[in-house]
Structures are given as structure tokens and as C-alpha cells.
Amino acid sequence: MQRTQFGDMACSIARTLDIIGEPWSPLILRDVYVGINRFDQIQQDLGISRKVLTERLKWLVTNEVLDRREYSTGRYEYVLTAKGTELADLLLVMVRWGDRWTAGEAGPPVLYRHHACGEISHVEPVCSVCAKPMHASDVDVLPGPGAAGFAS
């Protein structure tokens, strides 16, 4: 079965999904973010097949989300690139949603302590210009310079 390619679409969401939209990719990214960064560790943590993990890691390295580094002769670990670190920010937004809507009575499985204030917190999107809260209901979607298919 051929995987749908979204990378050529004039849509930042589609292009992002082209890189990390396969269900294992965000989980691999999460593992590397929290320090589970060697192939066998990731494979054991996720219970993913070695073949699928190999394909996903190769894809994430090719797309410069992860970097593959030798830590011992013939042994490699994976680390986040700058691009991968920014994608980890996206995961924190997903965590916020998941904690709110899927955690159930048990509550969140993981807590996040903010380095700056030392408090347990969650991600809250804010405007990069005015620093006020920014949610989907607070914005208008307008065509940008790379838009295709928008009537202006």
C-alpha cells in the first residue's frame, strides 16, 4: 500500500504530517526527547518491530528531525536536531490536549516542570507579538506568501 505524500501540498499542516504523520514517528520523537535514544531502547519501549523502527528512524534522520551519532564503534544513538526540538514543542501541545480529554480519572501519566519557574505546568499557546493567549477561536486564517489555491 502506497503512503500518501503530503509534502508537496501548499499547507504547513500537510507538510508537517508528511514528516511526522505516521503514528510511530511522534512516539519515537517523544522517546528521544526524554532520553530513550538507542535503537534497542526505543524498540523495547515502544514494542515496535525492528523493521518499522528502522524505516521510521531513517525517515526522521533523512528529514533532519533526528541525527544519528556513533557512541561506540558500530553503535549509534539518536538525538534531536534543532528541527526535532521544535517538533517536541508540538508534542507538548498534544500532551495538553491528551491530558485534558483522554487521561480519565487517573490523571496525566506524566507531569512537566517548567525550568524557568520550577512549577508543574502545561503549554499555553501565546501570540509571538503581543504575548496574549492564542487559540484557534482567536485567529483569522489568511493567505500567506506561499499560498496556492486561495482567492485574493
PDB file of all heavy atoms in Angstrom, residues 27-63:
ATOM      1  N   LEU A  27       5.856   9.111  18.556  1.00  0.00           N
ATOM      2  CA  LEU A  27       6.247   8.318  19.729  1.00  0.00           C
ATOM      3  C   LEU A  27       7.762   8.111  19.772  1.00  0.00           C
ATOM      4  O   LEU A  27       8.374   8.150  20.849  1.00  0.00           O
ATOM      5  CB  LEU A  27       5.510   6.985  19.736  1.00  0.00           C
ATOM      6  CG  LEU A  27       3.988   7.102  19.822  1.00  0.00           C
ATOM      7  CD1 LEU A  27       3.328   5.730  19.706  1.00  0.00           C
ATOM      8  CD2 LEU A  27       3.570   7.805  21.104  1.00  0.00           C
ATOM      9  N   ILE A  28       8.367   7.933  18.622  1.00  0.00           N
ATOM     10  CA  ILE A  28       9.832   7.846  18.547  1.00  0.00           C
ATOM     11  C   ILE A  28      10.435   9.184  18.955  1.00  0.00           C
ATOM     12  O   ILE A  28      11.382   9.234  19.755  1.00  0.00           O
ATOM     13  CB  ILE A  28      10.282   7.435  17.132  1.00  0.00           C
ATOM     14  CG1 ILE A  28       9.844   6.002  16.827  1.00  0.00           C
ATOM     15  CG2 ILE A  28      11.790   7.601  16.977  1.00  0.00           C
ATOM     16  CD1 ILE A  28       9.929   5.617  15.362  1.00  0.00           C
ATOM     17  N   LEU A  29       9.872  10.253  18.435  1.00  0.00           N
ATOM     18  CA  LEU A  29      10.326  11.599  18.788  1.00  0.00           C
ATOM     19  C   LEU A  29      10.218  11.817  20.298  1.00  0.00           C
ATOM     20  O   LEU A  29      11.135  12.331  20.935  1.00  0.00           O
ATOM     21  CB  LEU A  29       9.504  12.629  18.025  1.00  0.00           C
ATOM     22  CG  LEU A  29       9.861  14.094  18.170  1.00  0.00           C
ATOM     23  CD1 LEU A  29      11.268  14.364  17.672  1.00  0.00           C
ATOM     24  CD2 LEU A  29       8.859  14.944  17.410  1.00  0.00           C
ATOM     25  N   ARG A  30       9.096  11.412  20.889  1.00  0.00           N
ATOM     26  CA  ARG A  30       8.903  11.531  22.334  1.00  0.00           C
ATOM     27  C   ARG A  30       9.989  10.771  23.090  1.00  0.00           C
ATOM     28  O   ARG A  30      10.592  11.284  24.026  1.00  0.00           O
ATOM     29  CB  ARG A  30       7.525  10.986  22.725  1.00  0.00           C
ATOM     30  CG  ARG A  30       7.296  10.974  24.234  1.00  0.00           C
ATOM     31  CD  ARG A  30       6.367   9.872  24.699  1.00  0.00           C
ATOM     32  NE  ARG A  30       6.868   8.549  24.368  1.00  0.00           N
ATOM     33  CZ  ARG A  30       6.107   7.467  24.355  1.00  0.00           C
ATOM     34  NH1 ARG A  30       4.819   7.538  24.604  1.00  0.00           N
ATOM     35  NH2 ARG A  30       6.635   6.298  24.075  1.00  0.00           N
ATOM     36  N   ASP A  31      10.253   9.535  22.671  1.00  0.00           N
ATOM     37  CA  ASP A  31      11.272   8.738  23.356  1.00  0.00           C
ATOM     38  C   ASP A  31      12.633   9.416  23.312  1.00  0.00           C
ATOM     39  O   ASP A  31      13.314   9.522  24.337  1.00  0.00           O
ATOM     40  CB  ASP A  31      11.361   7.343  22.744  1.00  0.00           C
ATOM     41  CG  ASP A  31      10.363   6.363  23.351  1.00  0.00           C
ATOM     42  OD1 ASP A  31       9.469   6.797  24.104  1.00  0.00           O
ATOM     43  OD2 ASP A  31      10.485   5.154  23.065  1.00  0.00           O
ATOM     44  N   VAL A  32      13.033   9.897  22.146  1.00  0.00           N
ATOM     45  CA  VAL A  32      14.337  10.556  22.027  1.00  0.00           C
ATOM     46  C   VAL A  32      14.357  11.818  22.885  1.00  0.00           C
ATOM     47  O   VAL A  32      15.338  12.095  23.573  1.00  0.00           O
ATOM     48  CB  VAL A  32      14.683  10.839  20.547  1.00  0.00           C
ATOM     49  CG1 VAL A  32      15.951  11.669  20.435  1.00  0.00           C
ATOM     50  CG2 VAL A  32      14.819   9.525  19.779  1.00  0.00           C
ATOM     51  N   TYR A  33      13.263  12.553  22.893  1.00  0.00           N
ATOM     52  CA  TYR A  33      13.153  13.771  23.713  1.00  0.00           C
ATOM     53  C   TYR A  33      13.380  13.483  25.203  1.00  0.00           C
ATOM     54  O   TYR A  33      14.047  14.251  25.880  1.00  0.00           O
ATOM     55  CB  TYR A  33      11.779  14.405  23.482  1.00  0.00           C
ATOM     56  CG  TYR A  33      11.427  15.505  24.458  1.00  0.00           C
ATOM     57  CD1 TYR A  33      12.106  16.714  24.454  1.00  0.00           C
ATOM     58  CD2 TYR A  33      10.397  15.326  25.385  1.00  0.00           C
ATOM     59  CE1 TYR A  33      11.772  17.727  25.346  1.00  0.00           C
ATOM     60  CE2 TYR A  33      10.061  16.336  26.278  1.00  0.00           C
ATOM     61  CZ  TYR A  33      10.750  17.524  26.259  1.00  0.00           C
ATOM     62  OH  TYR A  33      10.422  18.511  27.151  1.00  0.00           O
ATOM     63  N   VAL A  34      12.863  12.372  25.693  1.00  0.00           N
ATOM     64  CA  VAL A  34      13.011  12.057  27.128  1.00  0.00           C
ATOM     65  C   VAL A  34      14.267  11.255  27.439  1.00  0.00           C
ATOM     66  O   VAL A  34      14.489  10.877  28.581  1.00  0.00           O
ATOM     67  CB  VAL A  34      11.756  11.349  27.707  1.00  0.00           C
ATOM     68  CG1 VAL A  34      10.528  12.218  27.545  1.00  0.00           C
ATOM     69  CG2 VAL A  34      11.561   9.966  27.115  1.00  0.00           C
ATOM     70  N   GLY A  35      15.107  10.995  26.415  1.00  0.00           N
ATOM     71  CA  GLY A  35      16.389  10.344  26.668  1.00  0.00           C
ATOM     72  C   GLY A  35      16.459   8.871  26.316  1.00  0.00           C
ATOM     73  O   GLY A  35      17.467   8.213  26.583  1.00  0.00           O
ATOM     74  N   ILE A  36      15.427   8.329  25.727  1.00  0.00           N
ATOM     75  CA  ILE A  36      15.463   6.947  25.234  1.00  0.00           C
ATOM     76  C   ILE A  36      15.931   7.062  23.793  1.00  0.00           C
ATOM     77  O   ILE A  36      15.149   7.352  22.895  1.00  0.00           O
ATOM     78  CB  ILE A  36      14.065   6.289  25.335  1.00  0.00           C
ATOM     79  CG1 ILE A  36      13.587   6.291  26.781  1.00  0.00           C
ATOM     80  CG2 ILE A  36      14.099   4.877  24.752  1.00  0.00           C
ATOM     81  CD1 ILE A  36      12.128   5.891  26.953  1.00  0.00           C
ATOM     82  N   ASN A  37      17.229   6.897  23.568  1.00  0.00           N
ATOM     83  CA  ASN A  37      17.763   7.295  22.269  1.00  0.00           C
ATOM     84  C   ASN A  37      18.576   6.241  21.525  1.00  0.00           C
ATOM     85  O   ASN A  37      19.140   6.529  20.482  1.00  0.00           O
ATOM     86  CB  ASN A  37      18.574   8.584  22.412  1.00  0.00           C
ATOM     87  CG  ASN A  37      19.690   8.449  23.420  1.00  0.00           C
ATOM     88  OD1 ASN A  37      19.907   7.391  23.978  1.00  0.00           O
ATOM     89  ND2 ASN A  37      20.392   9.538  23.645  1.00  0.00           N
ATOM     90  N   ARG A  38      18.625   5.036  22.046  1.00  0.00           N
ATOM     91  CA  ARG A  38      19.320   3.980  21.328  1.00  0.00           C
ATOM     92  C   ARG A  38      18.291   3.025  20.737  1.00  0.00           C
ATOM     93  O   ARG A  38      17.230   2.797  21.314  1.00  0.00           O
ATOM     94  CB  ARG A  38      20.283   3.249  22.261  1.00  0.00           C
ATOM     95  CG  ARG A  38      21.385   4.185  22.722  1.00  0.00           C
ATOM     96  CD  ARG A  38      22.375   3.535  23.614  1.00  0.00           C
ATOM     97  NE  ARG A  38      23.394   4.514  24.000  1.00  0.00           N
ATOM     98  CZ  ARG A  38      24.292   4.304  24.926  1.00  0.00           C
ATOM     99  NH1 ARG A  38      24.321   3.163  25.596  1.00  0.00           N
ATOM    100  NH2 ARG A  38      25.176   5.245  25.220  1.00  0.00           N
ATOM    101  N   PHE A  39      18.624   2.464  19.583  1.00  0.00           N
ATOM    102  CA  PHE A  39      17.681   1.644  18.831  1.00  0.00           C
ATOM    103  C   PHE A  39      16.991   0.609  19.721  1.00  0.00           C
ATOM    104  O   PHE A  39      15.762   0.528  19.750  1.00  0.00           O
ATOM    105  CB  PHE A  39      18.404   0.946  17.669  1.00  0.00           C
ATOM    106  CG  PHE A  39      17.483   0.186  16.763  1.00  0.00           C
ATOM    107  CD1 PHE A  39      16.991   0.775  15.613  1.00  0.00           C
ATOM    108  CD2 PHE A  39      17.115  -1.121  17.049  1.00  0.00           C
ATOM    109  CE1 PHE A  39      16.134   0.081  14.770  1.00  0.00           C
ATOM    110  CE2 PHE A  39      16.250  -1.816  16.214  1.00  0.00           C
ATOM    111  CZ  PHE A  39      15.760  -1.220  15.067  1.00  0.00           C
ATOM    112  N   ASP A  40      17.776  -0.195  20.430  1.00  0.00           N
ATOM    113  CA  ASP A  40      17.185  -1.262  21.254  1.00  0.00           C
ATOM    114  C   ASP A  40      16.297  -0.707  22.360  1.00  0.00           C
ATOM    115  O   ASP A  40      15.269  -1.312  22.697  1.00  0.00           O
ATOM    116  CB  ASP A  40      18.278  -2.160  21.843  1.00  0.00           C
ATOM    117  CG  ASP A  40      18.951  -3.018  20.780  1.00  0.00           C
ATOM    118  OD1 ASP A  40      18.339  -3.243  19.712  1.00  0.00           O
ATOM    119  OD2 ASP A  40      20.096  -3.460  21.011  1.00  0.00           O
ATOM    120  N   GLN A  41      16.675   0.433  22.927  1.00  0.00           N
ATOM    121  CA  GLN A  41      15.847   1.057  23.966  1.00  0.00           C
ATOM    122  C   GLN A  41      14.503   1.506  23.392  1.00  0.00           C
ATOM    123  O   GLN A  41      13.454   1.285  24.005  1.00  0.00           O
ATOM    124  CB  GLN A  41      16.553   2.279  24.562  1.00  0.00           C
ATOM    125  CG  GLN A  41      17.810   2.003  25.333  1.00  0.00           C
ATOM    126  CD  GLN A  41      18.524   3.300  25.713  1.00  0.00           C
ATOM    127  OE1 GLN A  41      18.528   4.282  24.962  1.00  0.00           O
ATOM    128  NE2 GLN A  41      19.135   3.298  26.887  1.00  0.00           N
ATOM    129  N   ILE A  42      14.550   2.151  22.244  1.00  0.00           N
ATOM    130  CA  ILE A  42      13.317   2.633  21.605  1.00  0.00           C
ATOM    131  C   ILE A  42      12.441   1.439  21.236  1.00  0.00           C
ATOM    132  O   ILE A  42      11.234   1.428  21.499  1.00  0.00           O
ATOM    133  CB  ILE A  42      13.633   3.489  20.354  1.00  0.00           C
ATOM    134  CG1 ILE A  42      14.433   4.736  20.733  1.00  0.00           C
ATOM    135  CG2 ILE A  42      12.341   3.871  19.630  1.00  0.00           C
ATOM    136  CD1 ILE A  42      15.043   5.475  19.544  1.00  0.00           C
ATOM    137  N   GLN A  43      13.053   0.430  20.638  1.00  0.00           N
ATOM    138  CA  GLN A  43      12.317  -0.756  20.215  1.00  0.00           C
ATOM    139  C   GLN A  43      11.634  -1.428  21.398  1.00  0.00           C
ATOM    140  O   GLN A  43      10.465  -1.786  21.343  1.00  0.00           O
ATOM    141  CB  GLN A  43      13.263  -1.728  19.506  1.00  0.00           C
ATOM    142  CG  GLN A  43      12.583  -2.785  18.674  1.00  0.00           C
ATOM    143  CD  GLN A  43      12.292  -4.055  19.439  1.00  0.00           C
ATOM    144  OE1 GLN A  43      13.027  -4.446  20.334  1.00  0.00           O
ATOM    145  NE2 GLN A  43      11.204  -4.696  19.083  1.00  0.00           N
ATOM    146  N   GLN A  44      12.359  -1.544  22.506  1.00  0.00           N
ATOM    147  CA  GLN A  44      11.799  -2.173  23.703  1.00  0.00           C
ATOM    148  C   GLN A  44      10.692  -1.308  24.315  1.00  0.00           C
ATOM    149  O   GLN A  44       9.642  -1.811  24.687  1.00  0.00           O
ATOM    150  CB  GLN A  44      12.890  -2.422  24.736  1.00  0.00           C
ATOM    151  CG  GLN A  44      12.373  -3.115  25.978  1.00  0.00           C
ATOM    152  CD  GLN A  44      13.492  -3.389  26.976  1.00  0.00           C
ATOM    153  OE1 GLN A  44      14.649  -3.068  26.749  1.00  0.00           O
ATOM    154  NE2 GLN A  44      13.128  -3.995  28.084  1.00  0.00           N
ATOM    155  N   ASP A  45      10.911  -0.004  24.390  1.00  0.00           N
ATOM    156  CA  ASP A  45       9.925   0.882  24.995  1.00  0.00           C
ATOM    157  C   ASP A  45       8.615   0.886  24.223  1.00  0.00           C
ATOM    158  O   ASP A  45       7.537   0.863  24.813  1.00  0.00           O
ATOM    159  CB  ASP A  45      10.470   2.307  25.100  1.00  0.00           C
ATOM    160  CG  ASP A  45       9.519   3.226  25.831  1.00  0.00           C
ATOM    161  OD1 ASP A  45       9.225   2.961  27.013  1.00  0.00           O
ATOM    162  OD2 ASP A  45       9.049   4.202  25.214  1.00  0.00           O
ATOM    163  N   LEU A  46       8.700   0.906  22.893  1.00  0.00           N
ATOM    164  CA  LEU A  46       7.502   1.021  22.075  1.00  0.00           C
ATOM    165  C   LEU A  46       6.902  -0.324  21.667  1.00  0.00           C
ATOM    166  O   LEU A  46       5.739  -0.382  21.279  1.00  0.00           O
ATOM    167  CB  LEU A  46       7.800   1.843  20.814  1.00  0.00           C
ATOM    168  CG  LEU A  46       8.198   3.296  21.035  1.00  0.00           C
ATOM    169  CD1 LEU A  46       8.524   3.962  19.706  1.00  0.00           C
ATOM    170  CD2 LEU A  46       7.097   4.050  21.759  1.00  0.00           C
ATOM    171  N   GLY A  47       7.691  -1.382  21.715  1.00  0.00           N
ATOM    172  CA  GLY A  47       7.203  -2.669  21.243  1.00  0.00           C
ATOM    173  C   GLY A  47       6.986  -2.674  19.732  1.00  0.00           C
ATOM    174  O   GLY A  47       6.178  -3.426  19.204  1.00  0.00           O
ATOM    175  N   ILE A  48       7.714  -1.841  19.043  1.00  0.00           N
ATOM    176  CA  ILE A  48       7.628  -1.685  17.591  1.00  0.00           C
ATOM    177  C   ILE A  48       8.537  -2.722  16.922  1.00  0.00           C
ATOM    178  O   ILE A  48       9.561  -3.104  17.490  1.00  0.00           O
ATOM    179  CB  ILE A  48       8.040  -0.240  17.209  1.00  0.00           C
ATOM    180  CG1 ILE A  48       7.865   0.071  15.732  1.00  0.00           C
ATOM    181  CG2 ILE A  48       9.458   0.059  17.649  1.00  0.00           C
ATOM    182  CD1 ILE A  48       8.155   1.539  15.368  1.00  0.00           C
ATOM    183  N   SER A  49       8.169  -3.170  15.736  1.00  0.00           N
ATOM    184  CA  SER A  49       9.028  -4.124  15.033  1.00  0.00           C
ATOM    185  C   SER A  49      10.335  -3.442  14.637  1.00  0.00           C
ATOM    186  O   SER A  49      10.378  -2.229  14.399  1.00  0.00           O
ATOM    187  CB  SER A  49       8.332  -4.674  13.792  1.00  0.00           C
ATOM    188  OG  SER A  49       8.354  -3.737  12.733  1.00  0.00           O
ATOM    189  N   ARG A  50      11.391  -4.220  14.557  1.00  0.00           N
ATOM    190  CA  ARG A  50      12.696  -3.678  14.194  1.00  0.00           C
ATOM    191  C   ARG A  50      12.658  -3.079  12.781  1.00  0.00           C
ATOM    192  O   ARG A  50      13.251  -2.038  12.532  1.00  0.00           O
ATOM    193  CB  ARG A  50      13.772  -4.767  14.311  1.00  0.00           C
ATOM    194  CG  ARG A  50      13.949  -5.251  15.742  1.00  0.00           C
ATOM    195  CD  ARG A  50      15.032  -6.310  15.864  1.00  0.00           C
ATOM    196  NE  ARG A  50      16.365  -5.779  15.723  1.00  0.00           N
ATOM    197  CZ  ARG A  50      17.039  -5.121  16.665  1.00  0.00           C
ATOM    198  NH1 ARG A  50      16.509  -4.914  17.839  1.00  0.00           N
ATOM    199  NH2 ARG A  50      18.259  -4.664  16.432  1.00  0.00           N
ATOM    200  N   LYS A  51      11.930  -3.719  11.885  1.00  0.00           N
ATOM    201  CA  LYS A  51      11.826  -3.241  10.506  1.00  0.00           C
ATOM    202  C   LYS A  51      11.154  -1.866  10.458  1.00  0.00           C
ATOM    203  O   LYS A  51      11.661  -0.938   9.815  1.00  0.00           O
ATOM    204  CB  LYS A  51      11.037  -4.235   9.662  1.00  0.00           C
ATOM    205  CG  LYS A  51      10.862  -3.817   8.215  1.00  0.00           C
ATOM    206  CD  LYS A  51      10.038  -4.862   7.450  1.00  0.00           C
ATOM    207  CE  LYS A  51       9.910  -4.521   5.992  1.00  0.00           C
ATOM    208  NZ  LYS A  51       8.821  -3.626   5.671  1.00  0.00           N
ATOM    209  N   VAL A  52      10.028  -1.722  11.149  1.00  0.00           N
ATOM    210  CA  VAL A  52       9.309  -0.445  11.140  1.00  0.00           C
ATOM    211  C   VAL A  52      10.145   0.628  11.821  1.00  0.00           C
ATOM    212  O   VAL A  52      10.243   1.755  11.330  1.00  0.00           O
ATOM    213  CB  VAL A  52       7.917  -0.578  11.806  1.00  0.00           C
ATOM    214  CG1 VAL A  52       7.261   0.777  12.000  1.00  0.00           C
ATOM    215  CG2 VAL A  52       7.017  -1.487  10.969  1.00  0.00           C
ATOM    216  N   LEU A  53      10.783   0.287  12.941  1.00  0.00           N
ATOM    217  CA  LEU A  53      11.614   1.267  13.641  1.00  0.00           C
ATOM    218  C   LEU A  53      12.771   1.724  12.754  1.00  0.00           C
ATOM    219  O   LEU A  53      13.073   2.922  12.676  1.00  0.00           O
ATOM    220  CB  LEU A  53      12.127   0.706  14.967  1.00  0.00           C
ATOM    221  CG  LEU A  53      13.010   1.649  15.776  1.00  0.00           C
ATOM    222  CD1 LEU A  53      12.301   2.970  16.078  1.00  0.00           C
ATOM    223  CD2 LEU A  53      13.448   0.960  17.073  1.00  0.00           C
ATOM    224  N   THR A  54      13.400   0.802  12.067  1.00  0.00           N
ATOM    225  CA  THR A  54      14.496   1.149  11.155  1.00  0.00           C
ATOM    226  C   THR A  54      14.014   2.130  10.088  1.00  0.00           C
ATOM    227  O   THR A  54      14.676   3.141   9.815  1.00  0.00           O
ATOM    228  CB  THR A  54      15.071  -0.122  10.489  1.00  0.00           C
ATOM    229  OG1 THR A  54      15.607  -0.966  11.519  1.00  0.00           O
ATOM    230  CG2 THR A  54      16.163   0.212   9.485  1.00  0.00           C
ATOM    231  N   GLU A  55      12.846   1.844   9.501  1.00  0.00           N
ATOM    232  CA  GLU A  55      12.293   2.726   8.467  1.00  0.00           C
ATOM    233  C   GLU A  55      11.970   4.109   9.028  1.00  0.00           C
ATOM    234  O   GLU A  55      12.277   5.126   8.407  1.00  0.00           O
ATOM    235  CB  GLU A  55      11.021   2.109   7.873  1.00  0.00           C
ATOM    236  CG  GLU A  55      11.279   0.880   7.036  1.00  0.00           C
ATOM    237  CD  GLU A  55       9.985   0.155   6.659  1.00  0.00           C
ATOM    238  OE1 GLU A  55       8.881   0.612   7.053  1.00  0.00           O
ATOM    239  OE2 GLU A  55      10.086  -0.881   5.983  1.00  0.00           O
ATOM    240  N   ARG A  56      11.347   4.160  10.188  1.00  0.00           N
ATOM    241  CA  ARG A  56      10.954   5.434  10.787  1.00  0.00           C
ATOM    242  C   ARG A  56      12.177   6.252  11.161  1.00  0.00           C
ATOM    243  O   ARG A  56      12.222   7.456  10.940  1.00  0.00           O
ATOM    244  CB  ARG A  56      10.085   5.213  12.034  1.00  0.00           C
ATOM    245  CG  ARG A  56       8.725   4.641  11.772  1.00  0.00           C
ATOM    246  CD  ARG A  56       7.783   5.629  11.074  1.00  0.00           C
ATOM    247  NE  ARG A  56       7.901   5.550   9.633  1.00  0.00           N
ATOM    248  CZ  ARG A  56       7.902   6.563   8.759  1.00  0.00           C
ATOM    249  NH1 ARG A  56       7.773   7.789   9.164  1.00  0.00           N
ATOM    250  NH2 ARG A  56       8.030   6.384   7.478  1.00  0.00           N
ATOM    251  N   LEU A  57      13.178   5.631  11.785  1.00  0.00           N
ATOM    252  CA  LEU A  57      14.392   6.351  12.161  1.00  0.00           C
ATOM    253  C   LEU A  57      15.107   6.894  10.929  1.00  0.00           C
ATOM    254  O   LEU A  57      15.559   8.041  10.917  1.00  0.00           O
ATOM    255  CB  LEU A  57      15.322   5.457  12.976  1.00  0.00           C
ATOM    256  CG  LEU A  57      14.873   5.163  14.407  1.00  0.00           C
ATOM    257  CD1 LEU A  57      15.724   4.061  15.020  1.00  0.00           C
ATOM    258  CD2 LEU A  57      14.908   6.421  15.261  1.00  0.00           C
ATOM    259  N   LYS A  58      15.189   6.073   9.885  1.00  0.00           N
ATOM    260  CA  LYS A  58      15.832   6.518   8.643  1.00  0.00           C
ATOM    261  C   LYS A  58      15.082   7.731   8.085  1.00  0.00           C
ATOM    262  O   LYS A  58      15.698   8.710   7.656  1.00  0.00           O
ATOM    263  CB  LYS A  58      15.854   5.377   7.623  1.00  0.00           C
ATOM    264  CG  LYS A  58      16.582   5.712   6.351  1.00  0.00           C
ATOM    265  CD  LYS A  58      16.656   4.514   5.417  1.00  0.00           C
ATOM    266  CE  LYS A  58      17.385   4.878   4.144  1.00  0.00           C
ATOM    267  NZ  LYS A  58      17.442   3.758   3.205  1.00  0.00           N
ATOM    268  N   TRP A  59      13.751   7.696   8.088  1.00  0.00           N
ATOM    269  CA  TRP A  59      12.928   8.801   7.583  1.00  0.00           C
ATOM    270  C   TRP A  59      13.170  10.063   8.409  1.00  0.00           C
ATOM    271  O   TRP A  59      13.327  11.150   7.859  1.00  0.00           O
ATOM    272  CB  TRP A  59      11.459   8.395   7.611  1.00  0.00           C
ATOM    273  CG  TRP A  59      10.517   9.466   7.166  1.00  0.00           C
ATOM    274  CD1 TRP A  59       9.708  10.227   7.963  1.00  0.00           C
ATOM    275  CD2 TRP A  59      10.274   9.906   5.832  1.00  0.00           C
ATOM    276  NE1 TRP A  59       8.982  11.111   7.205  1.00  0.00           N
ATOM    277  CE2 TRP A  59       9.309  10.938   5.884  1.00  0.00           C
ATOM    278  CE3 TRP A  59      10.785   9.533   4.588  1.00  0.00           C
ATOM    279  CZ2 TRP A  59       8.846  11.590   4.745  1.00  0.00           C
ATOM    280  CZ3 TRP A  59      10.318  10.184   3.453  1.00  0.00           C
ATOM    281  CH2 TRP A  59       9.357  11.204   3.540  1.00  0.00           C
ATOM    282  N   LEU A  60      13.192   9.929   9.740  1.00  0.00           N
ATOM    283  CA  LEU A  60      13.378  11.092  10.617  1.00  0.00           C
ATOM    284  C   LEU A  60      14.787  11.673  10.485  1.00  0.00           C
ATOM    285  O   LEU A  60      14.969  12.889  10.573  1.00  0.00           O
ATOM    286  CB  LEU A  60      13.052  10.724  12.067  1.00  0.00           C
ATOM    287  CG  LEU A  60      11.576  10.389  12.323  1.00  0.00           C
ATOM    288  CD1 LEU A  60      11.395   9.792  13.713  1.00  0.00           C
ATOM    289  CD2 LEU A  60      10.697  11.616  12.131  1.00  0.00           C
ATOM    290  N   VAL A  61      15.774  10.832  10.244  1.00  0.00           N
ATOM    291  CA  VAL A  61      17.145  11.322  10.008  1.00  0.00           C
ATOM    292  C   VAL A  61      17.218  12.001   8.645  1.00  0.00           C
ATOM    293  O   VAL A  61      17.766  13.106   8.518  1.00  0.00           O
ATOM    294  CB  VAL A  61      18.172  10.170  10.126  1.00  0.00           C
ATOM    295  CG1 VAL A  61      19.538  10.597   9.609  1.00  0.00           C
ATOM    296  CG2 VAL A  61      18.276   9.697  11.579  1.00  0.00           C
ATOM    297  N   THR A  62      16.635  11.388   7.618  1.00  0.00           N
ATOM    298  CA  THR A  62      16.626  11.975   6.272  1.00  0.00           C
ATOM    299  C   THR A  62      15.974  13.349   6.270  1.00  0.00           C
ATOM    300  O   THR A  62      16.415  14.263   5.572  1.00  0.00           O
ATOM    301  CB  THR A  62      15.887  11.041   5.279  1.00  0.00           C
ATOM    302  OG1 THR A  62      16.600   9.804   5.217  1.00  0.00           O
ATOM    303  CG2 THR A  62      15.782  11.654   3.896  1.00  0.00           C
ATOM    304  N   ASN A  63      14.934  13.514   7.090  1.00  0.00           N
ATOM    305  CA  ASN A  63      14.215  14.786   7.162  1.00  0.00           C
ATOM    306  C   ASN A  63      14.766  15.717   8.233  1.00  0.00           C
ATOM    307  O   ASN A  63      14.135  16.724   8.582  1.00  0.00           O
ATOM    308  CB  ASN A  63      12.720  14.533   7.367  1.00  0.00           C
ATOM    309  CG  ASN A  63      12.069  14.099   6.087  1.00  0.00           C
ATOM    310  OD1 ASN A  63      11.739  14.938   5.260  1.00  0.00           O
ATOM    311  ND2 ASN A  63      11.926  12.797   5.888  1.00  0.00           N
TER     312      ASN A  63
END
